[in-house]
Amino acid sequence: MKRLLLLLLAGAGLWLAACSSLTPSASTSLSDRLVAPGGVSTLLDTARIAEAVDTVPNRHGFVTGRAGVPIFWRAFDPGQYGVRYHYLAQQHDNGLPLQTGLQLAVPHPFRPQAPRGTVVLLHGWMMNGDAMLPWSMQLAQAGYRVVTIDLRNHGHSGAGPAGYGTFESDDVVDVIGALRQRGEVSGPLYLFGVSYGAATALFTADKLGDQVAGVVAMESFANAGDAIRSMIPHLMSLQPTGWKAQALAAYGRWRYGGQDIDQVIAAASQRLDLDLDRVDVARALADTQACVLLLHGQDDQHVRVEQGRRLASSSPRVHYIEMRGEDHITLPLRVDLLGGVVDDWLARDDRAGGACPAPEVPGQADRMAMQAVQVQVQVPPRG
């Protein structure tokens, strides 16, 4: 058995890592960081991840959609990969790549199986599709064809204005359409997103209507403007443990700390021609026809749990799991706790007639908090 110790963060979406992982640049405007990412998160070891991906059979390519941005995709066939996953608890404020243990024993030759459906994985800000490898392998071994997509401005994909899920979802719709014509999309279609990718998945599901059977959304924001207003102060207040991370955090506070958040959001909105305060993921979720499994870490300070609860209360087609002791960084890494939950939820076929399956609830979930959200569910009027 070949052990792959991957140093990666599974798409955890530190989309404003400017405050803790910036290298100096000519710009002193925080709005620049909202318009487009300034690099790759320090939590991601891209070289090690690429080396690991190269050991797994896959197909990949580009689709250029309506916006003219080339979007990179990668597909993994269902089959036996000898997947074993071990969650490694660790600090994530020291500026070093996170470790997640994934063991694979890929047979040679690899024999793909017929897919029971297709799952499209969407990563977080300053990440890429390959960072979702643990979830890719978990789902592929469960019988699904898995397609990862590098969102615009990330990974191998081209550059374009950030849309906080709005523009990106158009790209995803175009990629799915092209891959469906090539036969890469087979059976029921599911979307799985983390953070920025979760918001993108929910916008995509709304646009694709009944083409999407279900959405798994981890750590999504409900409204882009609200998320920015909570995230920036949190990142500015971080006191990391590593000396390098401390220096970068101090640099970020010096460069960006005195800027007015409302003005920053207004400037970014003008440059993007997109009102960030009107990027309403909750509204898209309320309108989607797909079943939705929503997961949020109770200790999330990047996208606070209140945003997850707001999303959960926007539609009766949502099943919500709120995990005690998990945050924006750790929750996407808990394949050990949530892999079986997601597999079971995707496998259920009782969606006929409008019913959405209830997931298994891990013991680490806060059932009282989840029940409190459930009684608040209201369906906003369409129009």
Side-chain angles (χ1 to χ4, degrees):
M1 178 178 293
K2 184 175 181 179
R3 180 176 177 84
L4 301 176
L5 184 59
L6 309 178
L7 299 179
L8 58 87
L9 175 64
L14 276 179
W15 61 270
L16 202 64
C19 297
S20 60
S21 61
L22 267 184
T23 54
S25 67
S27 172
T28 59
S29 173
L30 187 54
S31 66
D32 289 344
R33 299 300 169 186
L34 303 183
V35 169
V40 178
S41 172
T42 58
L43 299 177
L44 196 65
D45 190 328
T46 54
R48 293 289 297 275
I49 294 169
E51 180 182 353
V53 170
D54 285 345
T55 69
V56 182
N58 67 87
R59 297 177 300 283
H60 53 270
F62 289 87
V63 171
T64 299
R66 73 195 78 175
V69 179
I71 302 298
F72 179 80
W73 61 271
R74 190 187 303 278
F76 302 95
D77 282 326
Q80 294 303 310
Y81 291 87
V83 175
R84 293 182 62 189
Y85 183 83
H86 177 65
Y87 173 70
L88 301 174
Q90 61 204 287
Q91 287 186 309
H92 51 69
D93 62 353
N94 55 13
L96 299 176
L98 289 182
Q99 299 183 15
T100 181
L102 178 68
Q103 297 181 47
L104 299 174
V106 183
H108 299 284
F110 174 77
R111 292 181 173 85
Q113 301 172 357
R116 62 195 305 179
T118 302
V119 184
V120 175
L121 298 185
L122 303 172
H123 60 83
W125 186 268
M126 296 183 73
M127 299 290 169
N128 59 40
D130 289 347
M132 302 284 282
L133 186 62
W135 279 107
S136 296
M137 295 294 94
Q138 168 77 20
L139 292 165
Q141 185 150 294
Y144 297 92
R145 176 167 292 144
V146 176
V147 176
T148 64
I149 294 177
D150 288 357
L151 299 176
R152 58 170 63 190
N153 301 311
H154 295 82
H156 300 291
S157 291
Y164 290 77
T166 58
F167 306 152
E168 292 84 354
S169 56
D170 287 339
D171 297 335
V172 175
V173 167
D174 293 340
V175 171
I176 289 173
L179 294 184
R180 191 182 293 278
Q181 291 182 353
R182 301 179 192 180
E184 293 287 359
V185 176
S186 177
L189 173 64
Y190 305 94
L191 307 176
F192 183 131
V194 173
S195 188
Y196 197 91
T200 301
L202 292 169
F203 278 117
T204 302
D206 184 32
K207 293 173 180 178
L208 285 178
D210 60 7
Q211 294 183 51
V212 177
V215 181
V216 178
M218 285 189 177
E219 308 289 352
S220 179
F221 54 86
N223 175 278
D226 291 344
I228 292 166
R229 289 182 178 87
S230 66
M231 184 176 291
I232 291 177
H234 167 65
L235 291 173
M236 292 291 183
S237 69
L238 288 177
Q239 298 293 332
T241 56
W243 68 267
K244 182 178 179 180
Q246 289 176 351
L248 290 170
Y251 172 80
R253 284 190 292 270
W254 169 76
R255 171 163 280 192
Y256 302 110
Q259 297 182 32
D260 181 89
I261 295 178
D262 289 333
Q263 292 180 5
V264 166
I265 293 173
S269 296
Q270 184 175 21
R271 292 174 58 188
L272 293 170
D273 194 22
L274 175 72
D275 187 345
L276 294 175
D277 284 321
R278 296 177 67 86
V279 176
D280 193 349
V281 185
R283 181 64 183 190
L285 176 53
D287 288 344
T288 186
Q289 300 177 44
C291 296
V292 177
L293 177 59
L294 191 69
L295 303 105
H296 217 96
Q298 202 166 69
D299 295 343
D300 190 346
Q301 296 298 313
H302 294 81
V303 177
R304 292 176 182 167
V305 70
E306 288 78 13
Q307 295 232 9
R309 293 171 181 173
R310 177 180 167 188
L311 285 171
S313 64
S314 66
S315 171
R317 300 185 66 77
V318 173
H319 280 93
Y320 177 59
I321 297 179
E322 185 173 304
M323 297 290 289
R324 297 190 304 268
E326 305 297 342
D327 59 31
H328 201 75
I329 311 302
T330 64
L331 186 71
L333 295 173
R334 297 312 304 259
V335 183
D336 58 323
L337 296 180
L338 299 173
V341 173
V342 172
D343 289 348
D344 176 75
W345 187 78
L346 293 178
R348 299 190 184 191
D349 293 325
D350 54 355
R351 293 172 173 84
C356 289
E360 295 181 354
V361 178
Q364 294 83 350
D366 189 330
R367 292 176 180 268
M368 292 184 63
M370 291 158 53
Q371 290 169 359
V373 171
Q374 187 63 36
V375 300
Q376 300 173 16
V377 173
Q378 297 178 354
V379 182
R382 295 175 181 265

